[in-house]
Amino acid sequence: MHHVAILTGFLRGTLVFALPFATAVTEDLIRRNAEHNECVIFSLEELSLHQQEIERLEHIDRWCRDLKILYLQNNLIGKIENVSKLKKLEYLNLALNNIEKIENLEGCEGLTKLDLTVNFIGELSSIQTLQCNIHLKELFLMGNPCADFDGYRQYVVATLRQLKWLDGKEIERSERIQALQNFPVVEGQIREQERAYCLKRAKDKKEAQRKLQEEHEHKEKESHPGLDGRWDADIGPTPLSSVESEDHQLQASEIQEGETNKKKLDDSKDDLEFWNKPSLFTPESRLETLRHMEKQRKDQEQLSEKKKVKPPRTLITGDGRALNVNEPKLDFSLKDDEKRNQIILDLAVYRYMDTSLINVDVQPTYVRVMVKGKPFQLVLPAEVKPDSSSAKRSQTTGHLVVCMPKVGEVITGGPRASKSAASTLDSSRERTDQRSKQTEKLEVDPSKHSFPDVANIVQGKEHMPRRVRPEPKVMPSEEDPDFEDNPEVPPLI
């Protein structure tokens, strides 16, 4: 059996190696998976720690005493432990792990369902420890080596009399009576098959340890290579001229690049050889597969760190010319609204993206939108007013709508001025010249003109404003003793 066959057939494509190797059960891990309980773990009743690459069970029985449901499938757990204090536990899922023996479940008094599908349980007699779990109704053992033993189902049905379902199949009353009658014979067969399996398992373990030792020695040889005679420790480096040093650096970079490509090729060959190598169906093979994939992940991270940093995209050329850029690859439309004398940009921003991740910058000749750090820049067909521009998000589509009013006159002078702007300028000049020719003069002598009686415009004296009421004229009389006729004084009007 090849490694790839193990992953496909054994795990049916469900195993995901996304997290670092050998995750430990920590308080932070449990709290992160207890969001439905507001991250409170002491009163937690359901906990899911599947696909976390956990190798050992610990701390759960001390931190989560009220657990009723515990999901631990698809991990690397090799032993059932630290769950005996979970008195309220009703359902325990340990499918797709490395368990070889059923043990340490006597304290789970409320256990009604136990799933041990696809493990490495070969000691079928270890199910006797489940006789203390009087409420156990469902048990799953399919996919284990013990499920291939002759008399497997009869042995389990006769040993665990409280069971109602085994491997998803209901246990009939007649089946239990027959299993109890044949139990002495079946028990002897199971014991013999167990001994044969244990001998084979011991050989497999010894073979796995030997391979692991060989790989360890091979890695040590690779990490401490001997001298190849190209360098002399007693002779220092010879000083080089500038031209020779540049050639030497170029050659060194080419050599380094060639070594990197060679390493990639060797790694791909090793990877292909690993997946095509026959492998036993054992817990050790699962661990070996995980370690190999973890090594690949680390090598990939090291190669990515060595890659050169991508230079920033050019938005403005050296001569000050703006470029059209659409790095976030968003759909957009640019419309010239002549009625409102403005340019409208409709940018199809992601609907559920936070507005704080969008930054809009409007310039007279172009508009720039930064979407999650990626620039979108568009050169405008006409000059606009940045201070009067506005940007809004659509509440239905989430699109970004930027309205940019156009300027009435050209901002930057040059031969490329539009005809409409030139004609507007000429007409304004003509009107200014006409006003300058028509000089307005103020009349000094008001007697030449007749003014309307303002007081008689509005009927009714009670509503007449005080400031427009005519004041009585006081004319001097000749009978006044203080009157003095001075001919030089002009007459009063």
Side-chain angles (χ1 to χ4, degrees):
M1 182 182 293
H2 301 287
H3 287 88
V4 67
I6 289 177
L7 288 177
T8 307
F10 168 52
L11 301 178
R12 299 184 183 276
T14 58
L15 185 59
V16 179
F17 303 101
L19 298 175
F21 182 68
T23 305
V25 179
T26 61
E27 183 178 349
D28 180 63
L29 178 64
I30 296 177
R31 289 190 187 278
R32 280 190 282 111
N33 289 273
E35 294 179 352
H36 58 282
N37 200 43
E38 297 181 355
C39 298
V40 179
I41 63 175
F42 74 90
S43 61
L44 197 61
E45 294 185 354
E46 181 177 342
L47 179 60
S48 180
L49 295 176
H50 64 284
Q51 290 187 353
Q52 298 289 339
E53 299 178 7
I54 300 171
E55 283 194 13
R56 185 181 177 185
L57 281 177
E58 49 189 355
H59 308 307
I60 295 179
D61 59 342
R62 293 190 292 108
W63 295 341
C64 311
R65 291 288 183 90
D66 293 339
L67 275 181
K68 292 183 179 180
I69 300 174
L70 180 57
Y71 296 102
L72 292 166
Q73 68 269 27
N74 209 345
N75 283 293
L76 302 168
I77 300 169
K79 185 179 180 180
I80 304 175
E81 56 184 348
N82 297 321
V83 293
S84 59
K85 295 180 181 179
L86 302 176
K87 305 294 183 182
K88 301 179 182 180
L89 188 64
E90 298 176 1
Y91 176 34
L92 177 60
N93 192 332
L94 284 166
L96 296 169
N97 278 282
N98 292 350
I99 297 171
E100 300 187 57
K101 184 180 180 180
I102 302 175
E103 56 187 341
N104 301 324
L105 290 173
E106 296 85 354
C108 301
E109 299 173 357
L111 190 63
T112 59
K113 184 177 179 180
L114 177 61
D115 193 347
L116 293 169
T117 306
V118 190
N119 276 274
F120 298 92
I121 299 173
E123 298 183 33
L124 185 58
S125 59
S126 63
I127 65 170
Q128 295 178 1
T129 59
L130 296 176
Q131 291 176 346
C132 301
N133 306 98
I134 59 176
H135 299 289
L136 186 63
K137 303 300 179 184
E138 292 185 67
L139 178 63
F140 293 87
L141 288 173
M142 54 187 175
N144 286 273
C146 64
D148 296 330
F149 292 173
D150 293 335
Y152 147 74
R153 185 174 177 85
Q154 290 182 347
Y155 180 81
V156 176
V157 171
T159 305
L160 303 177
R161 301 184 184 183
Q162 73 274 29
L163 278 185
K164 300 295 182 183
W165 297 78
L166 177 60
D167 295 334
K169 184 179 179 181
E170 187 178 1
I171 301 173
E172 301 290 342
R173 184 177 180 183
S174 58
E175 182 182 6
R176 175 165 283 114
I177 293 172
Q178 187 177 0
L180 289 171
Q181 291 176 350
N182 300 332
F183 183 72
V185 179
V186 173
E187 185 181 15
Q189 295 176 354
I190 294 296
R191 296 290 183 182
E192 290 179 2
Q193 294 175 84
E194 271 188 2
R195 283 193 292 269
Y197 175 80
C198 289
L199 291 174
K200 180 179 177 296
R201 182 75 185 99
K203 291 180 181 179
D204 293 342
K205 285 183 179 181
K206 189 179 292 184
E207 182 68 17
Q209 290 177 359
R210 185 186 62 80
K211 288 183 178 180
L212 190 62
Q213 184 67 24
E214 289 179 356
E215 290 179 1
H216 183 67
E217 293 175 356
H218 181 66
K219 289 180 180 179
E220 284 187 349
K221 288 181 181 179
E222 288 183 348
S223 59
H224 299 89
L227 295 174
D228 54 2
R230 289 183 297 175
W231 302 98
D232 192 350
D234 297 332
I235 302 176
T238 306
L240 303 174
S241 63
S242 60
V243 178
E244 291 176 345
S245 64
E246 291 179 359
D247 294 341
H248 181 70
Q249 290 177 0
L250 183 61
Q251 292 177 1
S253 62
E254 291 177 354
I255 292 172
Q256 185 177 4
E257 185 177 357
E259 290 178 352
T260 304
N261 295 332
K262 184 180 179 182
K263 185 179 180 182
K264 288 182 180 179
L265 184 62
D266 293 341
D267 290 343
S268 62
K269 287 182 179 179
D270 293 342
D271 184 56
L272 185 62
E273 183 181 355
F274 175 81
W275 292 112
N276 291 330
K277 181 176 64 176
S279 175
L280 297 173
F281 186 54
T282 61
E284 290 78 16
S285 65
R286 287 196 70 198
L287 293 173
E288 183 184 4
T289 303
L290 266 294
R291 291 191 179 97
H292 177 76
M293 299 192 72
E294 179 66 14
K295 180 178 177 296
Q296 277 188 323
R297 186 185 64 82
K298 290 182 178 179
D299 292 343
Q300 189 66 26
E301 288 179 356
Q302 291 177 357
L303 289 175
S304 61
E305 289 177 358
K306 291 180 181 179
K307 289 182 180 179
K308 295 181 179 179
V309 180
K310 186 178 179 180
R313 184 181 290 273
T314 303
L315 302 177
I316 307 295
T317 60
D319 56 354
R321 183 169 55 89
L323 302 177
N324 291 328
V325 178
N326 189 1
E327 190 169 325
K329 299 180 180 179
L330 299 174
D331 295 333
F332 68 95
S333 64
L334 191 66
K335 185 174 69 173
D336 192 351
D337 189 357
E338 295 182 354
K339 290 184 178 180
R340 296 181 177 85
N341 194 30
Q342 63 180 356
I343 298 175
I344 301 175
L345 170 65
D346 188 339
L347 187 61
V349 181
Y350 313 113
R351 178 179 296 182
Y352 301 107
M353 191 176 69
D354 193 352
T355 308
S356 62
L357 301 175
I358 305 173
N359 187 16
V360 183
D361 181 17
V362 179
Q363 297 295 330
T365 57
Y366 67 89
V367 58
R368 181 186 302 167
V369 182
M370 301 296 293
V371 182
K372 294 180 68 174
K374 295 182 178 181
F376 172 88
Q377 183 169 286
L378 192 63
V379 179
L380 301 176
E383 295 178 355
V384 298
K385 301 176 182 179
D387 296 338
S388 304
S389 301
S390 64
K392 297 180 181 179
R393 290 285 299 275
S394 173
Q395 295 183 355
T396 55
T397 63
H399 288 197
L400 177 69
V401 181
V402 184
C403 299
M404 298 165 282
K406 293 190 290 185
V407 298
E409 298 180 0
V410 181
I411 293 177
T412 56
R416 298 180 63 183
S418 60
K419 294 181 179 179
S420 60
S423 60
T424 305
L425 188 61
D426 294 339
S427 61
S428 62
R429 286 177 180 173
E430 290 176 1
R431 288 195 295 270
T432 306
D433 295 339
Q434 290 176 1
R435 290 196 195 99
S436 61
K437 291 178 182 178
Q438 296 176 359
T439 307
E440 296 180 357
K441 298 181 180 179
L442 295 177
E443 293 292 340
V444 178
D445 189 1
S447 63
K448 297 180 179 180
H449 301 277
S450 61
F451 295 94
D453 188 3
V454 181
N456 296 327
I457 293 177
V458 182
Q459 296 179 358
K461 297 183 179 179
E462 54 185 2
H463 301 290
M464 189 181 300
R466 184 176 297 176
R467 59 184 178 85
V468 297
R469 290 177 181 176
E471 296 181 359
K473 298 181 180 180
V474 180
M475 297 297 292
S477 176
E478 295 181 355
E479 298 177 357
D480 191 355
D482 296 331
F483 176 76
E484 184 177 344
D485 191 8
N486 190 353
E488 295 181 0
V489 177
L492 294 176
I493 295 174

